[in-house]
């Protein structure tokens, strides 16, 4: 298993990874162009989404990238959050609760087994979901909404 991180990374994160003895599983890339990140999403086996504690009402935009890449999403979020409900509703990944180390380990094991068994595709987004997040669909909806406001 290799975990690639893109964007902000601090010495505190490195120290934590070392203390957990997982630093050799991490490859830190820093800030790179989105096209580079997306190429990793397309090539990878799964994507990781971690939400902040106390943020149960928002769904981050990052899942849109993961869905577009058809990448299963390992989500670590608060129990009962909108993010949890979204991932489960669309069956596009596995959800674990923040701080639930054993639960997260089991989720990783499930994704690993799915990779070994050739069943990762069971977490693929539906065609309907792909169409919902398509920029052309979203632009058309926005245009219609603006037209409705001006009529």
């Amino acid at each position: 298993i290799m975990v690639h991180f893109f964007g902000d990374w601090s010495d505190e994160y490195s120290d934590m990874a070392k203390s957990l003895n997982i630093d050799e599983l991490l490859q830190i890339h820093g800030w790179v162009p989105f096209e580079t990140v997306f190429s990793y999403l397309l090539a990878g086996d799964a994507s990781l989404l971690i939400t902040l504690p106390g943020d149960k009402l928002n769904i981050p935009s990052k899942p849109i990238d993961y869905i577009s890449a058809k990448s299963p999403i390992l989500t670590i979020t608060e129990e009962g959050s909108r993010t949890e409900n979204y991932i489960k509703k669309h069956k596009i990944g596995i959800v674990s609760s923040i701080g639930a180390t054993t639960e997260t380990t089991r989720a990783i094991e499930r994704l690993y087994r799915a990779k070994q068994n050739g069943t990762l595709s069971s977490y693929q987004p539906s065609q309907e979901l792909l169409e919902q997040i398509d920029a052309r669909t979203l632009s058309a909806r926005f245009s219609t909404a603006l037209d409705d406001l001006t009529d």
Side-chain angles (χ1 to χ4, degrees), residues 53-105:
D55 193 12
K56 293 178 94 169
L57 300 179
N58 295 309
I59 300 174
S61 61
K62 188 54 56 189
I64 300 300
D65 298 335
Y66 299 164
I67 293 165
S68 297
K70 299 180 181 176
S71 178
I73 307 170
L74 170 57
T75 305
I76 302 172
T77 190
E78 281 199 67
E79 191 172 335
S81 69
R82 285 187 177 168
T83 300
E84 174 188 27
N85 295 334
Y86 186 83
I87 299 298
K88 287 181 175 180
K89 173 185 174 186
H90 294 290
K91 301 176 183 166
I92 51 176
I94 298 173
V95 178
S96 177
S97 300
I98 292 173
T101 307
T102 302
E103 183 182 353
T104 301
T105 301

